[in-house]
Amino acid sequence: GASRHCASHMRALLLKRVRYGLRDRRGFLCQLCLPSGTLVLLLSLISNKLFASMPPLELDVGRYNENFQGSPRNLVDFTHLTSVEPQDAEDMLGPGKAFW
C-alpha cells in the first residue's frame, strides 16, 4: 500500500545519501550525521533540563464525577451509541467484572 511505497522512497533516498557519502565523506558528515547528532543532543539536553525537576505524575480516578451521587462514580454513558445496547454495556462494564 501507501506505507510500503513511502518506505521504498525513504530507503532509496537514504541509499542515495550513502552512495554520495562514500564519494564525499565530508559532505556526508555535514548532510546526515551532523544534523541528526545535533538534533539528538539538543532533544536530550532539553528533556533532561525541563523534565528532571518535575515530580512524578500521579493519576487518580477519584476526582471524576465528584458531584455524581450514584454508584459507580466513574460511570461511562453509552446512550449516544445506537449500536450498543444499554444492558449489554452495563453487563460488560459492571463493577467487579473483568473487562477482558
Side-chain angles (χ1 to χ4, degrees):
S3 63
R4 183 177 291 168
H5 187 67
C6 182
S8 69
H9 278 288
M10 288 296 293
R11 183 177 178 271
L13 286 171
L14 287 175
L15 189 60
K16 179 181 171 183
R17 289 281 182 211
V18 168
R19 286 184 181 153
Y20 283 161
L22 292 175
R23 285 186 261 165
D24 182 19
R25 294 190 190 275
R26 189 173 38 184
F28 179 72
L29 179 72
C30 290
Q31 288 181 0
L32 191 65
C33 297
L34 223 77
S36 301
T38 305
L39 183 67
V40 167
L41 179 69
L42 288 176
L43 288 177
S44 65
L45 287 174
I46 288 171
S47 66
N48 283 341
K49 295 294 180 190
L50 291 180
F51 302 117
S53 62
M54 293 180 125
L57 181 63
E58 295 181 16
L59 301 176
D60 182 24
V61 295
R63 297 196 50 168
Y64 290 102
N65 297 331
E66 289 179 340
N67 299 326
F68 184 69
Q69 299 301 321
S71 176
R73 281 183 32 208
N74 56 351
L75 183 67
V76 178
D77 185 22
F78 285 100
T79 57
H80 65 285
L81 298 174
T82 58
S83 63
V84 177
E85 293 293 328
Q87 187 59 41
D88 293 340
E90 187 177 329
D91 290 341
M92 183 173 69
L93 297 173
K97 295 186 180 179
F99 186 70
W100 298 108

